[in-house]
């Protein structure tokens, strides 16, 4: 895995408040888990969301798994911190923890 990809991922997650690495786009998710993640973020009132379609670049798809040491996509980052995948997002949304992350 190239350092360029790791550096790009780090820069992306630190420069943007909310980043979701997913399969597909927010408008057209290409797996159920990515669709669920987008739905949860919309329900949480997230407006400033950056999505990265890992299906467009195999290096990024593998790179994000290496970066987080997490084997699956989607992956949510808030303020540079790895939050988790759709299961963790669901649990946090149901408890109100996720929405609290988006408050200033």
């Amino acid at each position: 895995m190239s350092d360029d990809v790791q550096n790009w991922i780090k820069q992306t997650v630190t420069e943007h408040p909310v980043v979701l690495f997913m399969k597909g786009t927010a408008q057209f998710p290409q797996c159920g888990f990515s669709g669920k993640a987008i739905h949860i973020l919309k329900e949480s009132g997230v407006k400033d969301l950056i999505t990265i379609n890992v299906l467009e670049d195999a290096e990024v798809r593998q790179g994000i798994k290496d970066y987080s040491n997490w084997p699956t996509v989607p992956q949510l980052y808030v303020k540079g911190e790895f939050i988790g995948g759709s299961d963790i997002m669901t649990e946090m949304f149901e408890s109100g923890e996720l929405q609290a992350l988006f408050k200033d």
Side-chain angles (χ1 to χ4, degrees):
M1 190 53 48
S2 78
D3 286 344
D4 288 349
V5 170
Q6 293 298 304
N7 290 335
W8 178 82
I9 291 169
K10 182 176 185 175
Q11 183 178 358
T12 301
V13 301
T14 54
E15 285 183 359
H16 302 283
V18 183
V19 181
L20 182 68
F21 288 82
M22 62 180 290
K23 293 179 182 176
T25 64
Q27 296 75 25
F28 189 66
Q30 292 189 265
C31 83
F33 295 111
S34 290
K36 186 172 189 176
I38 288 293
H39 178 75
I40 288 170
L41 292 171
K42 285 181 180 172
E43 288 292 309
S44 297
V46 174
K47 301 274 187 267
D48 191 18
L49 172 65
I50 302 294
T51 60
I52 310 294
N53 182 358
V54 300
L55 298 178
E56 292 179 345
D57 189 326
E59 257 196 294
V60 171
R61 185 176 185 173
Q62 184 56 50
I64 194 59
K65 294 174 185 180
D66 295 341
Y67 182 83
S68 63
N69 199 24
W70 190 261
T72 59
V73 173
Q75 292 187 15
L76 177 65
Y77 290 79
V78 177
K79 299 173 187 152
E81 183 181 342
F82 175 57
I83 304 304
S86 62
D87 290 350
I88 291 169
M89 289 173 66
T90 300
E91 289 173 18
M92 290 178 72
F93 177 75
E94 289 170 355
S95 73
E97 280 180 87
L98 190 65
Q99 298 87 320
L101 290 178
F102 304 123
K103 293 191 167 85
D104 290 331

